[in-house]
Amino acid sequence: MIKKSFIILGISAAYFMNAQDISTLRNTAEVYSNSSLNGTSKYNAMAGSMGALGGDFSVLNSNPAGIGVSITSEFSGTLAIQSSKNATSLAGKSFDYKVNRTDLGNVGGVMAFKVDGSSPWKFVNIGVNYSSQSIEDYSETPGNSTVNFNINDENGALIDNVAFSGHAYNRYGDLSKMSVAVGGNYDNRIYVGAGLNFHSAVIDQYDSAAFDSSANNTTSIYNKQYTPFSETSNGFSATVGVIGKINPQFRVGAALETPTWWSISRVYNEYENPTDGTYTEDRNLSTPMKATLSAAFVPNKNFAINVDYSLGLTKSKYKVYGNAETELNNFFSDHSKNLSEVKIGAEYRINAFRLRGGYGFAASPFDSVSLSAFTDNGSAANTSFNNLIVGKRSTIGAGIGYDFKSFYIDAAYQNLSSEYKSPFLRGSASNNTGYFSDNYIVESDVSIVSNVKNTKDNFFITLGWKF
């Protein structure tokens, strides 16, 4: 197993990573620690806020005790139509890119078993929930001709001067989670549940930059060291939860999810003359343990409102095999924040019709980081960024449904938005972390930082059967 050091450099009071840097940091926070997986249309319309309400198998994403609330068995499938747009800007120019995809986003069900006799246990239920979503993401930064670099031969002689012409992060892949849980209803007052979660992710990641040559007026594409890379990952976590009725109108809930223990296999490219080649490595990652507190108000059978608050109790941590994992862990220990998210959702019933809405807000997982970055005029300056790599995320949901007794149909719309600063280009030939093309290397002690605004517009249609 081959390990490459990330080489952390000190900048101001912070550290910043140089090698498989931004892609690894971002995927750790955004993919492997993801808490915003889709569910049924009902769940999505309410922004995933159902922790104290239950009654939908997608609540396994937050509180398995919600399975115990069900009094009938059901099964449903959800079609997800996802659209993601990145608007990336630098030095007064901007590029837009949109990705559209349609998938079976969610499928699952609940088997409800009524307990006969005088036992205070009313139901013992089994729930299964499978959610999947695309994590494809493309961000293309415009060029800035005021940012220039010298290219030297192996003896240090100048052979070309190149101007920055553009950069692209390109990620393909899918993320999925399957949850299996058992829930119970005790005396129609207390609901308990426990579940196991099986995660998987497939990622293909690219990091490339373009440069215009002053010597021959051509544009060349350079690849970041250790990219492109491919990852196949599997993870496991467990969840326990409880919901209690304070009175017929008020409910509270609490759930705890263990860290997700990921096993990651990576294949990557290395450019190191004259031994360019493809290599493999394995990593083990534990993402944060999470706690969720919930409260719900149900004044009558036609209206319900729920609030969830989730907090990460630990931080992401890689098992140490060498310098790379040590430096990653130092970065997360020093510059990441505990995951924090609040969600509110409501449902109103008009006979067989259902009207739903929700809102969610997730804070950025990283503290402010200071680094040396190019300004628009090509000079370098130390700058502090409080939304670097991954920004805060807002979610707005809305939906409708109709209950045909044995069958039901639901539809939902979700808008997710986030904005963050995207650093790239920093790398050193002496540390073997620059951008490579044939026998040439572009290296820089200064980052270029673009602004990325991501907007997702997702639609969901659920068909369900109660029995």
Side-chain angles (χ1 to χ4, degrees):
M1 183 166 56
I2 297 175
K3 292 291 172 182
K4 290 295 179 181
S5 173
F6 277 43
I7 309 299
I8 297 179
L9 300 182
I11 309 167
S12 300
Y15 293 98
F16 204 69
M17 308 186 72
N18 246 337
Q20 301 161 354
D21 50 5
I22 306 306
S23 297
T24 298
L25 291 172
R26 186 177 178 203
N27 292 341
T28 301
E30 190 177 57
V31 176
Y32 295 120
S33 303
N34 187 7
S35 61
S36 61
L37 275 165
N38 298 320
T40 64
S41 292
K42 176 181 179 180
Y43 181 85
N44 297 331
M46 298 173 66
S49 179
M50 301 182 67
L53 289 175
D56 185 296
F57 56 80
S58 291
V59 78
L60 290 180
N61 284 326
S62 56
N63 187 347
I67 293 298
V69 176
S70 297
I71 59 174
T72 59
S73 300
E74 69 173 283
F75 171 83
S76 76
T78 300
L79 184 69
I81 304 168
Q82 303 175 79
S83 176
S84 178
K85 176 184 176 181
N86 278 331
T88 309
S89 58
L90 178 73
K93 294 181 289 185
S94 180
F95 286 155
D96 293 348
Y97 189 85
K98 180 180 287 188
V99 176
N100 298 312
R101 183 164 168 173
T102 300
D103 291 298
L104 180 63
N106 179 263
V107 63
V110 177
M111 292 294 295
F113 300 94
K114 188 174 182 179
V115 180
D116 295 324
S118 60
S119 170
W121 290 100
K122 305 301 180 182
F123 284 88
V124 176
N125 302 335
I126 299 174
V128 177
N129 181 71
Y130 175 80
S131 297
S132 67
Q133 66 185 50
S134 170
I135 53 174
E136 183 174 348
D137 191 70
Y138 180 80
S139 172
E140 183 176 354
T141 298
N144 183 357
S145 60
T146 66
V147 178
N148 292 269
F149 304 91
N150 291 330
I151 295 181
N152 304 308
D153 63 18
E154 59 184 9
N155 297 317
L158 178 66
I159 59 176
D160 200 358
N161 180 269
V162 296
F164 171 66
S165 184
H167 176 269
Y169 280 120
N170 196 357
R171 183 180 69 198
Y172 299 93
D174 295 279
L175 177 68
S176 66
K177 177 182 178 181
M178 184 173 200
S179 301
V180 180
V182 175
N185 174 340
Y186 184 85
D187 200 27
N188 293 321
R189 295 184 300 109
I190 299 174
Y191 307 88
V192 295
L196 302 177
N197 309 300
F198 304 92
H199 310 251
S200 66
V202 177
I203 301 173
D204 289 301
Q205 185 79 55
Y206 299 80
D207 182 340
S208 57
F211 298 92
D212 293 332
S213 169
S214 62
N216 52 25
N217 294 320
T218 60
T219 300
S220 298
I221 303 298
Y222 288 65
N223 290 317
K224 178 74 171 177
Q225 178 67 295
Y226 311 126
T227 70
F229 65 77
S230 298
E231 287 184 351
T232 302
S233 310
N234 293 288
F236 169 80
S237 64
T239 315
V240 295
V242 61
I243 297 173
K245 285 185 177 179
I246 297 177
N247 58 46
Q249 289 77 40
F250 289 96
R251 305 178 186 180
V252 293
L256 184 68
E257 182 176 359
T258 68
T260 300
W261 293 283
W262 287 94
S263 176
I264 304 171
S265 296
R266 173 181 285 195
V267 179
Y268 63 91
N269 283 24
E270 182 176 359
Y271 312 97
E272 187 175 6
N273 296 325
T275 59
D276 293 6
T278 300
Y279 300 87
T280 62
E281 65 181 7
D282 299 323
R283 285 203 174 102
N284 290 301
L285 165 69
S286 62
T287 56
M289 176 185 291
K290 302 170 189 173
T292 300
L293 300 177
S294 309
F297 177 54
V298 188
N300 54 59
K301 64 179 182 179
N302 295 322
F303 179 71
I305 186 170
N306 184 91
V307 177
D308 289 347
Y309 175 70
S310 298
L311 179 67
L313 304 179
T314 60
K315 295 184 179 182
S316 295
K317 186 174 183 179
Y318 284 86
K319 183 177 180 179
V320 175
Y321 293 102
N323 291 338
E325 292 82 14
T326 298
E327 293 162 358
L328 274 168
N329 291 339
N330 288 341
F331 185 90
F332 282 105
S333 176
D334 294 340
H335 303 295
S336 67
K337 297 184 291 188
N338 290 341
L339 299 174
S340 176
E341 184 173 14
V342 61
K343 299 179 290 187
I344 182 170
E347 179 184 61
Y348 184 72
R349 300 181 179 185
I350 307 173
N351 297 320
F353 283 98
R354 310 288 188 260
L355 300 176
R356 304 178 180 113
Y359 175 78
F361 176 82
S364 171
F366 295 115
D367 289 320
S368 176
V369 176
S370 179
L371 68 152
S372 180
F374 285 108
T375 63
D376 290 350
N377 63 14
S379 61
N382 284 334
T383 307
S384 180
F385 300 94
N386 59 10
N387 59 345
L388 201 68
I389 306 172
V390 178
K392 58 188 179 182
R393 183 184 71 246
S394 296
T395 303
I396 299 174
I400 59 174
Y402 191 87
D403 191 342
F404 296 94
K405 301 297 184 181
S406 294
F407 296 90
Y408 61 89
I409 181 170
D410 295 323
Y413 164 75
Q414 261 193 0
N415 173 270
L416 296 89
S417 61
S418 64
E419 190 167 354
Y420 61 93
K421 299 294 184 180
S422 178
F424 56 89
L425 204 68
R426 185 172 183 159
S428 168
S430 61
N431 293 322
N432 199 29
T433 58
Y435 282 72
F436 291 74
S437 177
D438 295 327
N439 295 323
Y440 302 114
I441 305 171
V442 171
E443 55 180 333
S444 174
D445 291 331
V446 183
S447 297
I448 296 178
V449 181
S450 59
N451 187 75
V452 183
K453 183 176 182 179
N454 176 257
T455 304
K456 293 183 173 68
D457 293 294
N458 300 330
F459 296 87
F460 307 91
I461 300 174
T462 299
L463 296 176
W465 173 42
K466 295 181 180 179
F467 55 97

